[in-house]
Amino acid sequence: MRDFTTMEHLQERVSSYGAVLRYNDRVFVTDITHTGQFRASIYEFVDEPDVDFDQIECRLFLIDTSHKAFEDAGHAVAWCLRQK
């Protein structure tokens, strides 16, 4: 069985240093770690936003997480954009 989440749940989990960003059919998540570095994750929509549900209520499936830590959230999001 797959584990799903939603943008709404992700927004509740990230700190004030983090971000949940929709980019086309993907959602990028970045947040600060206990060491002051940033991590990034990429999710894809299972449901179609604004057709099946509002975008924040659509189910998301995790497709990739960075193994590297980044110096800031911008570099973490840049990593997300480079993934195909």
Side-chain angles (χ1 to χ4, degrees):
M1 185 171 146
R2 295 174 117 183
D3 290 325
F4 299 104
T5 191
T6 65
M7 287 180 68
E8 185 174 32
H9 289 134
L10 292 169
Q11 289 170 339
E12 291 171 355
R13 283 192 265 172
V14 299
S15 71
S16 60
Y17 297 99
V20 177
L21 307 166
R22 179 177 176 190
Y23 184 74
N24 296 323
D25 63 343
R26 302 285 167 92
V27 174
F28 303 155
V29 180
T30 183
D31 204 5
I32 197 165
T33 68
H34 68 283
T35 62
Q37 296 181 308
F38 287 77
R39 295 284 184 177
S41 296
I42 303 171
Y43 293 81
E44 67 182 357
F45 283 97
V46 175
D47 304 307
E48 189 168 343
D50 301 320
V51 173
D52 296 321
F53 303 101
D54 188 62
Q55 68 180 355
I56 66 167
E57 297 171 333
C58 287
R59 293 174 299 164
L60 301 172
F61 181 70
L62 178 67
I63 58 171
D64 204 359
T65 298
S66 65
H67 297 288
K68 173 185 173 183
F70 303 95
E71 62 187 85
D72 56 41
H75 284 92
V77 171
W79 174 86
C80 292
L81 290 167
R82 288 190 303 270
Q83 306 310 300
K84 292 289 177 187

Coordinates of all heavy atoms in Angstrom, one line a residue:
M1 N 0.8 -1.2 0.0 CA 0.0 0.0 0.0 C 0.9 1.2 0.0 O 1.9 1.3 0.7 CB -0.9 0.0 1.2 CG -1.9 1.1 1.2 SD -3.1 0.9 2.6 CE -3.3 2.5 3.0
R2 N 0.5 2.2 -0.8 CA 1.2 3.5 -0.8 C 0.8 4.4 0.3 O -0.3 4.5 0.7 CB 0.9 4.2 -2.2 CG 1.4 3.4 -3.4 CD 1.0 4.1 -4.6 NE 2.1 4.6 -5.3 CZ 2.0 5.3 -6.5 NH1 0.9 5.6 -7.0 NH2 3.1 5.6 -7.1
D3 N 1.8 5.2 0.8 CA 1.6 6.2 1.7 C 1.4 7.5 1.0 O 2.3 7.9 0.2 CB 2.7 6.3 2.8 CG 2.8 5.1 3.7 OD1 1.7 4.6 4.0 OD2 3.9 4.7 4.0
F4 N 0.3 8.2 1.3 CA 0.0 9.5 0.6 C 0.0 10.6 1.7 O -0.2 10.3 2.9 CB -1.4 9.4 -0.1 CG -1.5 8.4 -1.1 CD1 -2.2 7.2 -0.9 CD2 -0.9 8.6 -2.4 CE1 -2.3 6.3 -1.9 CE2 -1.0 7.7 -3.4 CZ -1.7 6.5 -3.1
T5 N 0.2 11.8 1.2 CA 0.0 13.0 2.0 C -0.7 14.0 1.2 O -1.0 13.7 0.1 CB 1.4 13.5 2.6 OG1 1.2 14.4 3.6 CG2 2.3 14.0 1.5
T6 N -0.8 15.2 1.7 CA -1.4 16.3 1.0 C -0.6 17.6 1.2 O 0.2 17.6 2.1 CB -2.9 16.6 1.4 OG1 -2.8 17.1 2.8 CG2 -3.8 15.4 1.3
M7 N -0.8 18.6 0.4 CA -0.1 19.8 0.6 C -0.4 20.4 1.9 O 0.4 21.0 2.6 CB -0.4 20.8 -0.5 CG 0.2 20.5 -1.9 SD -0.2 21.7 -3.2 CE 0.7 23.2 -2.6
E8 N -1.7 20.3 2.3 CA -2.1 20.8 3.6 C -1.3 20.1 4.8 O -0.9 20.8 5.7 CB -3.6 20.5 3.7 CG -4.2 21.1 5.0 CD -5.7 20.9 5.0 OE1 -6.3 19.9 4.4 OE2 -6.4 21.8 5.5
H9 N -1.2 18.8 4.7 CA -0.4 18.1 5.8 C 1.0 18.5 5.8 O 1.7 18.7 6.8 CB -0.6 16.6 5.7 CG -1.9 16.1 6.0 ND1 -2.6 15.2 5.3 CD2 -2.8 16.5 7.1 CE1 -3.8 15.0 5.8 NE2 -3.9 15.7 6.9
L10 N 1.6 18.7 4.6 CA 3.0 19.1 4.5 C 3.2 20.5 5.0 O 4.2 20.7 5.7 CB 3.5 19.0 3.0 CG 3.6 17.6 2.4 CD1 3.8 17.7 0.9 CD2 4.7 16.8 3.1
Q11 N 2.3 21.4 4.8 CA 2.4 22.7 5.3 C 2.3 22.8 6.8 O 3.0 23.6 7.4 CB 1.3 23.6 4.7 CG 1.5 23.9 3.2 CD 0.4 24.6 2.6 OE1 -0.8 24.5 3.0 NE2 0.6 25.2 1.4
E12 N 1.6 21.8 7.4 CA 1.5 21.8 8.9 C 2.8 21.2 9.5 O 3.1 21.5 10.6 CB 0.4 20.8 9.3 CG -1.0 21.4 9.0 CD -2.1 20.4 9.2 OE1 -1.8 19.2 9.5 OE2 -3.3 20.8 9.0
R13 N 3.6 20.5 8.7 CA 4.8 19.9 9.2 C 6.1 20.7 9.1 O 7.0 20.5 9.8 CB 5.0 18.5 8.5 CG 4.1 17.4 9.1 CD 4.6 16.1 8.6 NE 3.8 15.7 7.4 CZ 4.1 14.7 6.7 NH1 5.0 13.9 6.9 NH2 3.3 14.5 5.6
V14 N 6.1 21.6 8.1 CA 7.4 22.3 7.9 C 7.4 23.5 8.9 O 6.4 24.0 9.3 CB 7.5 22.9 6.4 CG1 7.6 21.7 5.4 CG2 6.5 23.9 6.1
S15 N 8.7 23.9 9.2 CA 8.9 25.0 10.1 C 8.7 26.3 9.4 O 8.5 26.3 8.2 CB 10.3 24.9 10.7 OG 11.2 25.2 9.7
S16 N 8.9 27.4 10.1 CA 8.8 28.7 9.5 C 9.9 29.0 8.5 O 9.9 29.9 7.7 CB 8.7 29.8 10.6 OG 9.9 29.7 11.3
Y17 N 10.9 28.1 8.5 CA 12.1 28.2 7.6 C 11.8 27.4 6.3 O 12.6 27.5 5.4 CB 13.4 27.7 8.2 CG 13.8 28.5 9.4 CD1 13.5 28.1 10.7 CD2 14.5 29.7 9.2 CE1 13.9 28.9 11.8 CE2 14.9 30.5 10.3 CZ 14.6 30.0 11.6 OH 15.0 30.8 12.7
G18 N 10.8 26.6 6.3 CA 10.5 25.7 5.2 C 9.5 26.3 4.2 O 9.0 27.4 4.4
A19 N 9.3 25.5 3.2 CA 8.3 25.9 2.1 C 7.7 24.7 1.5 O 8.4 23.6 1.3 CB 9.0 26.7 1.1
V20 N 6.5 24.8 1.0 CA 5.8 23.8 0.2 C 5.3 24.5 -1.0 O 4.5 25.4 -0.9 CB 4.6 23.2 1.0 CG1 3.8 22.2 0.1 CG2 5.0 22.6 2.3
L21 N 5.9 24.1 -2.2 CA 5.7 24.8 -3.4 C 5.2 23.9 -4.5 O 5.8 22.9 -4.8 CB 7.0 25.4 -3.9 CG 7.8 26.3 -2.9 CD1 9.2 26.5 -3.3 CD2 7.1 27.6 -2.6
R22 N 4.1 24.4 -5.1 CA 3.6 23.6 -6.3 C 4.3 24.1 -7.5 O 4.5 25.3 -7.7 CB 2.1 23.8 -6.4 CG 1.5 23.1 -7.7 CD 0.1 23.2 -7.9 NE -0.3 22.6 -9.1 CZ -1.5 22.7 -9.6 NH1 -2.4 23.4 -9.0 NH2 -1.8 22.0 -10.8
Y23 N 4.7 23.1 -8.3 CA 5.4 23.4 -9.6 C 4.8 22.5 -10.6 O 5.2 21.3 -10.7 CB 6.9 23.3 -9.4 CG 7.7 23.7 -10.7 CD1 7.8 25.0 -11.0 CD2 8.2 22.7 -11.5 CE1 8.5 25.4 -12.2 CE2 9.0 23.1 -12.6 CZ 9.1 24.4 -13.0 OH 9.8 24.7 -14.1
N24 N 3.9 22.9 -11.4 CA 3.2 22.1 -12.4 C 2.5 20.9 -11.7 O 1.7 21.1 -10.8 CB 4.1 21.7 -13.6 CG 4.6 22.9 -14.4 OD1 3.8 23.8 -14.6 ND2 5.8 22.8 -14.8
D25 N 2.9 19.7 -12.1 CA 2.3 18.5 -11.5 C 3.2 17.9 -10.3 O 3.0 16.8 -9.9 CB 2.1 17.4 -12.5 CG 3.4 16.9 -13.1 OD1 4.5 17.6 -13.0 OD2 3.4 15.8 -13.8
R26 N 4.1 18.8 -9.8 CA 4.9 18.3 -8.7 C 4.8 19.3 -7.5 O 4.3 20.4 -7.7 CB 6.4 18.3 -9.1 CG 6.7 17.4 -10.3 CD 6.7 16.0 -9.8 NE 6.7 15.0 -10.9 CZ 7.8 14.5 -11.4 NH1 9.0 14.9 -11.0 NH2 7.7 13.6 -12.4
V27 N 5.2 18.8 -6.4 CA 5.2 19.7 -5.2 C 6.6 19.5 -4.6 O 7.0 18.4 -4.3 CB 4.1 19.3 -4.1 CG1 4.3 20.1 -2.9 CG2 2.7 19.5 -4.7
F28 N 7.3 20.7 -4.3 CA 8.6 20.7 -3.7 C 8.4 21.1 -2.3 O 7.7 22.0 -2.0 CB 9.5 21.7 -4.4 CG 9.7 21.5 -5.9 CD1 10.0 22.5 -6.7 CD2 9.5 20.2 -6.5 CE1 10.2 22.4 -8.1 CE2 9.7 20.0 -7.9 CZ 10.0 21.1 -8.7
V29 N 9.2 20.4 -1.4 CA 9.2 20.7 0.0 C 10.6 20.9 0.5 O 11.5 20.0 0.2 CB 8.5 19.6 0.8 CG1 8.5 19.9 2.3 CG2 7.1 19.4 0.3
T30 N 10.9 21.9 1.2 CA 12.2 22.1 1.8 C 12.0 22.6 3.2 O 11.0 23.2 3.5 CB 13.0 23.1 1.0 OG1 14.3 23.2 1.6 CG2 12.4 24.5 0.9
D31 N 12.9 22.2 4.1 CA 12.9 22.6 5.5 C 14.3 22.5 6.1 O 15.1 21.7 5.6 CB 11.9 21.8 6.3 CG 11.3 22.5 7.5 OD1 11.7 23.7 7.7 OD2 10.6 21.9 8.3
I32 N 14.4 23.2 7.1 CA 15.7 23.2 7.8 C 15.8 22.0 8.7 O 14.8 21.5 9.2 CB 15.9 24.6 8.6 CG1 17.3 24.8 9.0 CG2 14.9 24.6 9.8 CD1 17.6 26.2 9.5
T33 N 17.1 21.5 8.9 CA 17.3 20.4 9.7 C 17.8 20.9 11.1 O 18.1 22.1 11.3 CB 18.4 19.4 9.1 OG1 19.6 20.1 9.1 CG2 18.0 19.0 7.7
H34 N 18.0 20.0 12.0 CA 18.5 20.3 13.3 C 20.0 20.9 13.3 O 20.5 21.5 14.2 CB 18.5 19.1 14.3 CG 19.4 18.0 14.0 ND1 19.1 17.1 12.9 CD2 20.6 17.7 14.5 CE1 20.1 16.3 12.9 NE2 21.0 16.6 13.8
T35 N 20.7 20.6 12.1 CA 22.1 21.1 12.0 C 22.1 22.5 11.3 O 23.2 23.0 11.0 CB 22.9 20.1 11.2 OG1 22.4 19.9 9.9 CG2 23.0 18.8 11.9
G36 N 21.0 23.0 10.9 CA 20.9 24.3 10.2 C 21.0 24.2 8.7 O 21.1 25.2 8.0
Q37 N 21.1 23.0 8.2 CA 21.1 22.8 6.7 C 19.7 22.5 6.2 O 18.8 22.3 7.0 CB 22.1 21.7 6.3 CG 23.5 22.1 6.7 CD 24.4 21.0 6.3 OE1 24.2 19.8 6.6 NE2 25.5 21.4 5.6
F38 N 19.5 22.5 4.9 CA 18.2 22.2 4.4 C 18.2 20.9 3.6 O 19.1 20.5 3.0 CB 17.8 23.4 3.4 CG 17.5 24.6 4.2 CD1 18.5 25.4 4.7 CD2 16.1 25.0 4.4 CE1 18.1 26.6 5.4 CE2 15.8 26.1 5.1 CZ 16.8 26.9 5.6
R39 N 17.0 20.3 3.6 CA 16.7 19.1 2.8 C 15.6 19.4 1.9 O 14.8 20.4 2.1 CB 16.3 17.9 3.7 CG 17.4 17.5 4.6 CD 18.4 16.6 3.9 NE 19.4 16.1 4.8 CZ 20.3 15.3 4.5 NH1 20.5 14.9 3.2 NH2 21.2 14.9 5.4
A40 N 15.4 18.6 0.8 CA 14.4 18.8 -0.1 C 13.7 17.5 -0.5 O 14.4 16.4 -0.5 CB 14.9 19.5 -1.4
S41 N 12.4 17.5 -0.8 CA 11.7 16.4 -1.3 C 10.8 16.8 -2.4 O 10.4 17.9 -2.5 CB 10.8 15.8 -0.1 OG 11.6 15.3 0.9
I42 N 10.5 15.8 -3.3 CA 9.6 16.0 -4.4 C 8.4 15.1 -4.3 O 8.6 13.9 -4.2 CB 10.4 15.9 -5.7 CG1 11.6 16.8 -5.8 CG2 9.4 16.1 -6.9 CD1 12.5 16.5 -7.0
Y43 N 7.2 15.6 -4.5 CA 6.0 14.8 -4.5 C 5.3 15.0 -5.9 O 5.5 16.0 -6.5 CB 5.1 15.2 -3.4 CG 5.6 15.0 -2.0 CD1 6.5 15.8 -1.4 CD2 5.1 13.9 -1.3 CE1 6.9 15.6 -0.1 CE2 5.6 13.6 0.0 CZ 6.5 14.5 0.6 OH 6.9 14.2 1.8
E44 N 4.5 14.0 -6.3 CA 3.7 14.1 -7.5 C 2.2 13.9 -7.1 O 1.9 13.2 -6.1 CB 4.1 13.1 -8.5 CG 3.8 11.7 -8.2 CD 4.3 10.7 -9.3 OE1 4.7 11.2 -10.4 OE2 4.1 9.5 -9.1
F45 N 1.4 14.6 -7.8 CA 0.0 14.5 -7.6 C -0.6 13.1 -8.0 O -0.3 12.6 -9.0 CB -0.8 15.6 -8.3 CG -0.7 16.9 -7.7 CD1 0.2 17.9 -8.2 CD2 -1.5 17.3 -6.7 CE1 0.3 19.1 -7.6 CE2 -1.4 18.6 -6.1 CZ -0.5 19.5 -6.6
V46 N -1.4 12.6 -7.1 CA -2.1 11.4 -7.4 C -3.5 11.8 -8.0 O -4.0 11.2 -9.0 CB -2.3 10.5 -6.2 CG1 -3.2 9.3 -6.5 CG2 -1.0 10.1 -5.6
D47 N -4.1 12.8 -7.4 CA -5.4 13.3 -7.9 C -5.1 14.5 -8.7 O -4.0 15.2 -8.6 CB -6.2 13.7 -6.7 CG -6.5 12.6 -5.7 OD1 -6.9 11.5 -6.1 OD2 -6.2 12.8 -4.5
E48 N -6.1 14.9 -9.6 CA -5.9 16.1 -10.4 C -6.4 17.3 -9.7 O -7.5 17.4 -9.3 CB -6.6 15.9 -11.7 CG -6.3 17.0 -12.7 CD -6.8 16.7 -14.1 OE1 -7.1 15.6 -14.4 OE2 -6.9 17.7 -14.9
P49 N -5.5 18.3 -9.4 CA -5.8 19.5 -8.7 C -7.0 20.3 -9.4 O -7.0 20.4 -10.6 CB -4.5 20.3 -8.7 CG -3.5 19.3 -8.9 CD -4.0 18.3 -9.8
D50 N -7.9 20.8 -8.6 CA -9.0 21.6 -9.0 C -10.0 20.8 -9.9 O -10.9 21.4 -10.4 CB -8.5 22.9 -9.7 CG -7.7 23.7 -8.8 OD1 -8.0 23.8 -7.6 OD2 -6.6 24.2 -9.3
V51 N -9.8 19.5 -10.1 CA -10.8 18.6 -10.7 C -11.3 17.6 -9.7 O -12.5 17.6 -9.5 CB -10.2 17.9 -12.0 CG1 -11.1 16.9 -12.5 CG2 -9.7 18.9 -13.0
D52 N -10.4 16.9 -9.2 CA -10.8 15.9 -8.1 C -11.0 16.6 -6.8 O -12.0 16.3 -6.1 CB -9.7 14.8 -8.0 CG -9.6 14.0 -9.2 OD1 -10.6 13.7 -9.9 OD2 -8.4 13.6 -9.6
F53 N -10.1 17.4 -6.4 CA -10.1 18.2 -5.1 C -9.4 19.5 -5.3 O -8.7 19.7 -6.3 CB -9.4 17.4 -4.0 CG -9.9 16.0 -3.8 CD1 -9.3 14.9 -4.3 CD2 -11.1 15.8 -3.0 CE1 -9.7 13.6 -4.0 CE2 -11.5 14.5 -2.8 CZ -10.9 13.4 -3.3
D54 N -9.5 20.4 -4.3 CA -8.7 21.6 -4.3 C -7.3 21.1 -4.2 O -7.0 20.1 -3.6 CB -9.1 22.4 -3.1 CG -8.4 23.8 -3.1 OD1 -8.6 24.5 -4.1 OD2 -7.6 24.0 -2.2
Q55 N -6.3 21.9 -4.7 CA -4.9 21.4 -4.8 C -4.3 21.1 -3.4 O -3.6 20.1 -3.3 CB -4.0 22.4 -5.5 CG -3.8 23.7 -4.8 CD -2.9 24.7 -5.5 OE1 -2.4 24.3 -6.6 NE2 -2.8 25.9 -5.0
I56 N -4.7 21.7 -2.4 CA -4.2 21.4 -1.1 C -4.7 20.1 -0.5 O -4.1 19.6 0.5 CB -4.3 22.6 -0.1 CG1 -5.7 22.8 0.3 CG2 -3.6 23.8 -0.5 CD1 -5.9 23.7 1.5
E57 N -5.8 19.6 -1.1 CA -6.5 18.4 -0.5 C -6.1 17.2 -1.4 O -6.5 16.1 -1.0 CB -8.0 18.6 -0.5 CG -8.4 19.7 0.5 CD -9.8 20.0 0.5 OE1 -10.4 19.9 -0.6 OE2 -10.4 20.5 1.5
C58 N -5.5 17.4 -2.6 CA -5.2 16.3 -3.4 C -4.1 15.4 -2.8 O -3.2 15.8 -2.1 CB -4.6 16.8 -4.8 SG -5.9 17.5 -5.8
R59 N -4.2 14.1 -3.0 CA -3.2 13.1 -2.5 C -1.9 13.3 -3.3 O -1.9 13.5 -4.5 CB -3.7 11.7 -2.7 CG -4.9 11.4 -1.8 CD -5.4 10.0 -2.0 NE -5.8 9.9 -3.4 CZ -6.1 8.8 -4.1 NH1 -5.9 7.6 -3.5 NH2 -6.5 8.8 -5.3
L60 N -0.8 13.2 -2.5 CA 0.6 13.3 -3.1 C 1.3 12.1 -2.7 O 1.2 11.5 -1.6 CB 1.3 14.5 -2.5 CG 0.7 15.9 -2.7 CD1 1.4 17.0 -1.9 CD2 0.7 16.3 -4.2
F61 N 2.2 11.7 -3.6 CA 3.1 10.6 -3.4 C 4.5 11.0 -3.5 O 4.9 11.7 -4.5 CB 2.8 9.5 -4.5 CG 3.6 8.2 -4.3 CD1 3.4 7.4 -3.2 CD2 4.6 7.9 -5.2 CE1 4.2 6.3 -3.0 CE2 5.4 6.8 -5.0 CZ 5.2 6.0 -3.9
L62 N 5.4 10.7 -2.5 CA 6.8 11.0 -2.5 C 7.5 10.3 -3.6 O 7.4 9.1 -3.7 CB 7.4 10.7 -1.1 CG 8.9 10.9 -1.0 CD1 9.2 12.4 -1.0 CD2 9.4 10.3 0.3
I63 N 8.2 11.0 -4.4 CA 9.0 10.4 -5.5 C 10.5 10.5 -5.3 O 11.3 9.7 -5.9 CB 8.6 10.9 -6.9 CG1 8.7 12.4 -7.1 CG2 7.1 10.4 -7.2 CD1 8.5 12.9 -8.5
D64 N 11.0 11.5 -4.6 CA 12.4 11.7 -4.4 C 12.7 12.6 -3.2 O 12.0 13.5 -2.9 CB 13.1 12.3 -5.7 CG 14.5 11.9 -5.8 OD1 15.1 11.2 -4.9 OD2 15.2 12.3 -6.8
T65 N 13.8 12.3 -2.5 CA 14.3 13.1 -1.4 C 15.8 13.3 -1.6 O 16.5 12.3 -2.0 CB 14.0 12.4 -0.1 OG1 12.6 12.3 0.1 CG2 14.6 13.2 1.1
S66 N 16.3 14.5 -1.4 CA 17.7 14.7 -1.5 C 18.5 14.0 -0.5 O 18.1 13.8 0.7 CB 18.0 16.2 -1.4 OG 17.7 16.7 -0.1
H67 N 19.6 13.4 -0.9 CA 20.5 12.7 0.0 C 21.6 13.7 0.5 O 22.3 13.4 1.5 CB 21.2 11.6 -0.7 CG 20.2 10.5 -1.1 ND1 19.6 9.7 -0.2 CD2 19.8 10.2 -2.3 CE1 18.8 8.9 -0.9 NE2 18.9 9.2 -2.2
K68 N 21.6 14.9 -0.1 CA 22.6 15.9 0.2 C 21.9 17.0 1.0 O 20.7 17.3 0.8 CB 23.1 16.5 -1.1 CG 24.0 17.7 -1.0 CD 24.4 18.2 -2.3 CE 25.1 19.6 -2.1 NZ 25.5 20.2 -3.3
A69 N 22.6 17.6 1.9 CA 22.0 18.8 2.6 C 22.5 20.1 1.9 O 23.6 20.1 1.3 CB 22.5 18.8 4.1
F70 N 21.7 21.1 2.0 CA 22.0 22.3 1.2 C 22.1 23.5 2.2 O 21.6 23.5 3.3 CB 20.8 22.7 0.3 CG 20.6 21.6 -0.7 CD1 19.6 20.6 -0.5 CD2 21.3 21.5 -1.9 CE1 19.4 19.6 -1.4 CE2 21.1 20.4 -2.8 CZ 20.1 19.5 -2.5
E71 N 22.9 24.5 1.8 CA 23.2 25.7 2.7 C 21.9 26.6 2.9 O 21.9 27.3 3.9 CB 24.3 26.5 2.1 CG 24.0 27.1 0.8 CD 25.2 27.8 0.1 OE1 26.0 27.1 -0.5 OE2 25.4 29.0 0.3
D72 N 21.0 26.5 2.0 CA 19.8 27.3 2.2 C 18.6 26.7 1.4 O 18.8 25.8 0.6 CB 20.0 28.8 1.8 CG 20.5 29.0 0.4 OD1 20.0 28.2 -0.5 OD2 21.4 29.8 0.2
A73 N 17.4 27.3 1.6 CA 16.2 26.7 0.9 C 16.3 27.0 -0.6 O 15.8 26.1 -1.3 CB 15.0 27.4 1.5
G74 N 16.9 28.0 -1.0 CA 17.0 28.3 -2.5 C 17.8 27.2 -3.2 O 17.3 26.7 -4.3
H75 N 18.9 26.8 -2.6 CA 19.6 25.7 -3.2 C 18.9 24.4 -3.2 O 19.0 23.5 -4.1 CB 21.0 25.5 -2.5 CG 22.0 26.6 -2.9 ND1 22.1 27.8 -2.2 CD2 22.8 26.6 -4.0 CE1 23.0 28.5 -2.8 NE2 23.5 27.8 -3.9
A76 N 18.1 24.1 -2.1 CA 17.3 22.9 -2.0 C 16.2 22.9 -3.1 O 16.0 21.9 -3.8 CB 16.6 22.9 -0.6
V77 N 15.6 24.1 -3.3 CA 14.6 24.1 -4.4 C 15.2 24.0 -5.8 O 14.7 23.4 -6.7 CB 13.7 25.4 -4.3 CG1 12.8 25.6 -5.5 CG2 12.9 25.4 -3.0
A78 N 16.4 24.6 -6.0 CA 17.1 24.4 -7.2 C 17.4 22.9 -7.5 O 17.3 22.5 -8.7 CB 18.4 25.2 -7.2
W79 N 17.7 22.2 -6.5 CA 17.9 20.7 -6.7 C 16.6 20.1 -7.2 O 16.7 19.3 -8.1 CB 18.3 20.1 -5.3 CG 18.4 18.6 -5.4 CD1 19.5 17.8 -5.8 CD2 17.4 17.7 -5.1 NE1 19.1 16.5 -5.8 CE2 17.8 16.4 -5.3 CE3 16.1 17.8 -4.6 CZ2 17.1 15.2 -5.1 CZ3 15.3 16.7 -4.4 CH2 15.8 15.4 -4.6
C80 N 15.5 20.5 -6.6 CA 14.2 19.9 -7.0 C 14.0 20.2 -8.5 O 13.5 19.4 -9.3 CB 13.1 20.6 -6.2 SG 13.0 20.1 -4.5
L81 N 14.3 21.4 -8.9 CA 14.0 21.8 -10.3 C 14.9 21.1 -11.3 O 14.5 20.8 -12.4 CB 14.3 23.3 -10.5 CG 13.3 24.2 -9.8 CD1 13.8 25.7 -9.8 CD2 11.9 24.2 -10.6
R82 N 16.1 20.6 -10.9 CA 17.0 19.9 -11.7 C 16.6 18.4 -11.9 O 17.1 17.8 -12.8 CB 18.4 20.0 -11.2 CG 19.1 21.3 -11.4 CD 20.6 21.3 -11.1 NE 20.9 20.8 -9.8 CZ 21.0 21.6 -8.7 NH1 20.8 22.9 -8.8 NH2 21.3 21.1 -7.5
Q83 N 15.8 17.9 -11.0 CA 15.4 16.5 -11.1 C 14.4 16.3 -12.2 O 13.4 17.1 -12.3 CB 14.8 16.0 -9.7 CG 15.8 16.3 -8.6 CD 17.2 15.8 -8.8 OE1 17.4 14.6 -9.0 NE2 18.1 16.7 -8.7
K84 N 14.5 15.2 -12.9 CA 13.5 14.9 -14.0 C 13.0 13.5 -13.8 O 13.6 12.6 -13.4 CB 14.2 15.0 -15.3 CG 14.5 16.4 -15.7 CD 13.3 17.3 -16.0 CE 13.7 18.7 -16.3 NZ 12.7 19.6 -16.4

